[in-house]
């Protein structure tokens, strides 16, 4: 097993190699993110027979913003082509389809961990734990290649907790010395409230120009927060809820554990500076 995932595309969804699993296995409720209810295991009404979305280019205007900010981290093609050997859930026995739908969320969680571990291995400051991270990555990759029965029985929550210990240590090492000014006045006179904002309720918070460099925002709820022009360099953003967060002209250079789905759920501009691990969402504005 290689030390790292060699091709980043292995950790990004490839719909052409998947049987539309996210459109069938996962449930969603009518809300601002979805235009209708759908139970787990039932195909979305927009899913075509070829496993493609019938409204893919119009998801936002049709009320399916939730679909546009989702990524399986490559779990869809892994389950479709490797775990089940390319067997389509539409053409096989019902029991196989149910097992495929049960296994997909498990592998999705494992692939998300692979993404975090791969990013952690790319952080020079985390060198003291690189060996442990590498072993965790190799073990997690082996878990993704288990049989459907083994995957269905896997205690994925326990494995996530084990990996999280390493990710927390990685965060401490990566942020050490990075946020000397965090908690002080930001570039526009605001205060960030300190470097440790883990799990903080920051819904709608006015953090324009805040100095959050080197801050831990793990699991923080930043829904609709105003982070215009904020300094988020070298910040830990793992699990932060960035739905409708305004990142216009914010600086996220070197921010880590920031996923593409998180960024896709936020708002930003051409002036928003991003880490190399993510791309600028197409729906972002041209700035002010």
């Amino acid at each position: 097993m290689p030390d790292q995932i060699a091709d980043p595309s292995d950790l990004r969804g490839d719909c052409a190699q998947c049987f539309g699993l996210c459109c069938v296995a996962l449930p969603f409720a009518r809300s601002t993110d979805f235009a209708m209810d759908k139970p787990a295991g039932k195909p979305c009404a927009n899913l075509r027979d070829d496993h493609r979305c019938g409204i893919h280019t119009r998801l936002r205007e049709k009320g399916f913003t939730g679909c546009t900010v989702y990524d399986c981290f490559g779990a869809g093609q892994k389950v479709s082509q490797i775990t089940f050997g390319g067997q389509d859930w539409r053409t096989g026995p019902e029991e196989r389809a149910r097992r495929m739908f049960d296994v997909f969320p498990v592998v999705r969680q494992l692939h998300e961990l692979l993404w975090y571990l791969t990013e952690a291995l790319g952080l020079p400051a985390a060198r003291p734990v690189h060996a442990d991270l590498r072993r965790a990555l190799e073990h997690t990759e082996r878990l993704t290649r288990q049989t459907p029965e083994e995957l269905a029985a896997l205690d994925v929550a326990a494995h996530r907790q084990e990996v999280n210990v390493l990710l927390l240590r990685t965060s401490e090492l990566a942020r050490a010395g990075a946020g000397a000014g965090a908690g002080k006045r930001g570039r526009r006179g605001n205060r960030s409230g300190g470097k440790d904002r883990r799990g903080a309720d920051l819904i709608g918070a006015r953090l324009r120009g805040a100095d959050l460099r080197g801050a831990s925002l793990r699991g923080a709820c930043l829904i609709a927060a105003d982070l215009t022009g904020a300094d988020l360099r070298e910040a830990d953003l793992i699990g932060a809820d960035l739905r409708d967060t305004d990142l216009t002209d914010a600086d996220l250079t070197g921010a880590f554990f920031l996923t593409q789905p998180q960024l896709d759920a936020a708002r930003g501009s051409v002036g928003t500076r991003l880490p190399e691990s993510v791309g600028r969402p197409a729906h972002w504005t041209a700035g002010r």
Side-chain angles (χ1 to χ4, degrees):
M1 185 66 61
D3 288 345
Q4 300 186 42
I5 299 296
D7 186 350
S9 66
D10 290 341
L11 298 178
R12 293 176 182 168
D14 182 355
C15 297
Q17 297 299 316
C18 178
F19 297 133
L21 295 183
C22 65
C23 304
V24 187
L26 306 180
F28 52 73
R30 186 182 181 89
S31 62
T32 56
D33 292 323
F34 297 100
M36 62 184 182
D37 296 319
K38 188 193 82 66
K42 179 181 179 180
C44 174
N46 298 310
L47 185 65
R48 304 186 316 203
D49 290 341
D50 62 356
H51 302 299
R52 300 294 179 268
C53 175
I55 59 169
H56 180 70
T57 59
R58 296 173 291 141
L59 283 167
R60 286 182 176 272
E61 64 183 82
K62 290 293 185 179
F64 289 87
T65 301
C67 296
T68 69
V69 300
Y70 178 81
D71 192 334
C72 70
F73 294 97
Q77 61 260 33
K78 172 71 73 65
V79 173
S80 297
Q81 302 301 329
I82 296 178
T83 311
F84 286 87
Q87 300 178 86
D88 190 339
W89 57 267
R90 289 185 188 272
T91 58
E94 186 175 334
E95 175 57 32
R96 187 175 72 199
R98 282 199 299 268
R99 179 53 57 88
M100 186 179 290
F101 302 152
D102 289 341
V103 163
F104 171 66
V106 174
V107 178
R108 198 269 183 190
Q109 291 191 64
L110 293 174
H111 266 241
E112 183 177 10
L113 290 177
L114 287 175
W115 192 92
Y116 289 135
L117 288 165
T118 299
E119 173 145 312
L121 279 166
L123 297 173
R127 197 176 307 280
V129 292
H130 274 189
D132 291 333
L133 289 167
R134 194 170 293 114
R135 283 191 290 269
L137 185 144
E138 293 171 355
H139 177 51
T140 303
E141 172 62 22
R142 284 195 296 271
L143 290 177
T144 70
R145 295 178 180 273
Q146 293 186 117
T147 66
E149 293 72 25
E150 291 171 327
L151 284 165
L154 178 66
D155 187 346
V156 71
H159 182 65
R160 286 185 71 97
Q161 184 56 40
E162 291 176 6
V163 172
N164 191 50
V165 172
L166 283 174
L167 297 180
L168 277 168
R169 180 56 180 151
T170 297
S171 177
E172 292 168 356
L173 291 167
R175 292 184 298 109
K184 299 180 181 179
R185 291 191 179 276
R187 293 194 297 272
R188 301 188 187 180
N190 293 335
R191 290 180 181 273
S192 70
K195 289 196 297 183
D196 189 353
R197 307 309 303 273
R198 288 178 293 178
D201 182 355
L202 297 170
I203 296 177
R206 297 178 180 178
L207 294 167
R208 179 179 289 251
D211 185 348
L212 290 163
R213 184 173 184 181
S216 174
L217 290 163
R218 298 172 64 89
C221 189
L222 288 155
I223 297 174
D226 183 2
L227 285 166
T228 301
D231 188 347
L232 291 155
R233 287 176 291 171
E234 290 89 37
D236 179 352
L237 290 164
I238 193 168
D241 193 336
L242 301 181
R243 284 177 292 170
D244 204 31
T245 303
D246 193 346
L247 296 174
T248 299
D249 297 334
D251 189 350
L252 289 90
T253 306
F256 53 96
F257 299 150
L258 172 66
T259 67
Q260 193 64 50
Q262 285 175 292
L263 205 58
D264 289 343
R267 293 181 288 128
S269 69
V270 292
T272 306
R273 281 157 285 186
L274 301 173
E276 295 181 358
S277 58
V278 292
R280 192 176 308 277
H283 67 277
W284 280 13
T285 66
R288 296 197 262 274

